[in-house]
Amino acid sequence: MTEANQSPINLFDMKAQQALIRPEIDRRIAAILDSGAFINGPDVRELEEKLAEFAGCGHAVGVSSGTDALQIAMMAEGIGRGDAVFLPAFTYTATAEVPLVLGATPVFVDVEPDSFNIDLEDLKRRIALVKEEGRLRPRAVVGVDLFGRPADWPAIQEICRAEGMFALDDAAQAFGAALDGKRLGQWGDAAALSFYPTKTLGCYGDGGAILTNDAGRAELYRSLRTHGEGKTRYAVERTGMNGRLDSLQAAILLCKLPLLEDELKSRARIAGWYAARLSGHVVVPGEQAGATSAWGLYSVLLPDASTRERVQATMRDRGVPSAIYYPKPLHHQPAYAAAHAEGLRAAPPLPVSEALCDRILALPMHPYLDKAQAARVAEALTAGL
Ligand SMILES: *Cc1c(COP(=O)(O)O)cnc(C)c1O
């Protein structure tokens, strides 16, 4: 077989999935076009019920994006000026952007070299340093379940409880992941989901949700996403925002949600194929006792930046895409330089986050990748080493 005859490999693939559910999507969209219930229609409420059921949590509140999910969750706690929000330096920018937008100060915490998630010892150390410097109040920890792998939620919750802090799960890359048999959405005080198209559950535009077991918080989130409205539409109880999920996106998510359980199994199977072919050549994601990853992304570690460059070029030549999440730790981004300097005047270094940015490489990961394709990815990668 020549290269030209081989099926193309995509980093993500929304087409294969769409082919399975296209008639249902068309039917649901047509129903909304006929009804005219574009905002706050019955599809949004149905989706919220099904999301809560899937996650095993009390409440789900649909919102306009993962970023807005984080923002509404923090607004509900009154997080703002003078507050320190602890979050990993190795994550997507949205995690750090939100506290800054609210006037709070992100305090960057290093991550663990194997899980890529927030380092608990470093977290405790930085909370103590913030208290010592005495300028900011430690208010919240945002744990990110990076690449789909759950952070150490029992430990994060314990730290937050001891310090009277809010525990927010940025589960944007991890919907479907579980810890000790409990899905994300049951951990932390609230969890933020993103339905950006390439996430484990994605819509065809922007969308998100906040999951929580706390009925009071869920009610606040519903108010905040609709301009802080009270019991009636024109009672404005608090400063909110326009953060609603629209009915068309909810309808698309309702078509996709029934596939998710099997898709998560496929992702885990693909991760197994990669691990079998790549361990010994590169550092592959390790097992974590009690945790089930959602495999939102599959990232390996190469020895250094120049090897990574060579490997990416070899893969590209063989028609295999790859990507770098993330090329720079957040504390090195111009947008966060001032906040980083302000958060802790004597900030310890963040060596793990910095080193990972030079070595990390994401491979194609989507539920419709077959075993032969996974083998081609692994062959292309090892050929470049
Ligand atoms: C995607 C993502 C977000 C933001 O989600 P949007 O829906 O794009 O706003 C936040 N945090 C992390 C870790 C993400 O990967």
Side-chain angles (χ1 to χ4, degrees):
M1 196 162 62
T2 67
E3 293 268 13
N5 289 337
Q6 293 183 336
S7 55
I9 297 175
N10 301 307
L11 206 54
F12 306 106
D13 184 353
M14 275 80 69
K15 278 193 192 145
Q17 184 201 48
Q18 192 187 109
L20 298 175
I21 50 174
R22 183 61 186 258
E24 173 71 359
I25 287 176
D26 288 341
R27 192 189 63 73
R28 278 214 177 241
I29 289 176
I32 292 172
L33 297 186
D34 288 342
S35 77
F38 299 123
I39 299 285
N40 276 343
D43 292 79
V44 173
R45 280 188 295 279
E46 186 185 344
L47 176 70
E48 289 176 338
E49 275 165 29
K50 293 202 165 141
L51 288 173
E53 192 186 321
F54 189 91
C57 67
H59 311 271
V61 179
V63 295
S64 39
S65 69
T67 307
D68 289 345
L70 292 167
Q71 180 163 332
I72 290 170
M74 287 192 214
M75 284 169 84
E77 308 302 314
I79 290 169
R81 202 157 302 284
D83 291 336
V85 176
F86 298 83
L87 54 95
F90 187 61
T91 177
Y92 184 56
T93 180
T95 319
E97 171 186 37
V98 170
L100 209 52
V101 163
L102 293 177
T105 305
V107 174
F108 296 106
V109 180
D110 213 359
V111 297
E112 295 174 340
D114 48 353
S115 73
F116 313 144
N117 282 330
I118 198 162
D119 180 316
L120 299 162
E121 289 314 309
D122 194 52
L123 171 62
K124 286 186 214 160
R125 171 164 69 147
R126 283 173 210 260
I127 293 171
L129 285 171
V130 163
K131 287 177 162 172
E132 220 172 279
E133 291 192 2
R135 289 170 297 109
L136 299 171
R137 254 186 331 266
R139 275 301 300 282
V141 175
V142 189
V144 180
D145 312 297
L146 203 72
F147 307 151
R149 179 184 183 133
D152 187 345
W153 284 103
I156 294 172
Q157 285 176 179
E158 196 182 309
I159 293 168
C160 284
R161 227 167 267 145
E163 300 287 343
M165 296 167 76
F166 176 56
L168 178 55
D169 181 5
D170 180 345
Q173 300 180 3
F175 187 49
L179 202 54
D180 301 338
K182 285 161 64 179
R183 281 219 157 109
L184 297 178
Q186 300 184 54
W187 295 98
D189 295 311
L193 304 182
S194 165
F195 302 132
Y196 185 81
T198 58
K199 310 282 176 159
T200 56
L201 178 66
C203 56
Y204 295 152
D206 278 309
I210 316 170
L211 307 178
T212 183
N213 274 327
D214 182 331
R217 282 196 167 100
E219 200 182 315
L220 258 178
Y221 300 157
R222 286 178 204 285
S223 167
L224 287 166
R225 76 171 170 188
T226 317
H227 305 289
E229 78 174 12
K231 293 270 181 269
T232 62
R233 192 160 176 190
Y234 294 102
V236 186
E237 304 276 343
R238 53 188 67 83
T239 306
M241 60 191 278
N242 177 357
R244 295 175 299 239
L245 177 69
D246 70 68
S247 300
L248 287 169
Q249 299 305 339
I252 285 153
L253 291 164
L254 280 166
C255 298
K256 289 185 165 206
L257 189 55
L259 303 178
L260 184 58
E261 202 79 66
D262 280 343
E263 290 181 342
L264 290 166
K265 290 195 185 98
S266 299
R267 287 175 182 271
R269 199 160 48 235
I270 295 157
W273 294 334
Y274 278 151
R277 289 183 171 263
L278 291 173
S279 50
H281 297 281
V282 294
V283 180
V284 299
E287 297 280 325
Q288 181 187 352
T292 310
S293 177
W295 298 109
L297 291 165
Y298 189 93
S299 289
V300 298
L301 286 180
L302 296 167
D304 50 53
S306 62
T307 310
R308 180 174 66 182
E309 208 171 301
R310 195 171 65 238
V311 163
Q312 275 202 291
T314 308
M315 292 174 75
R316 206 179 303 120
D317 287 345
R318 295 174 173 225
V320 178
S322 63
I324 299 171
Y325 306 106
Y326 298 94
K328 238 187 207 192
L330 291 181
H331 64 289
H332 285 174
Q333 293 285 6
Y336 301 114
H340 181 52
E342 166 64 21
L344 276 175
R345 300 252 158 96
L350 296 145
V352 179
S353 298
E354 289 169 18
L356 289 177
C357 291
D358 288 336
R359 298 179 57 200
I360 200 91
L361 188 67
L363 309 183
M365 173 51 89
H366 61 77
Y368 302 93
L369 195 83
D370 65 32
K371 196 172 183 178
Q373 290 175 317
R376 275 165 57 206
V377 172
E379 274 159 29
L381 191 161
T382 47
L385 283 173

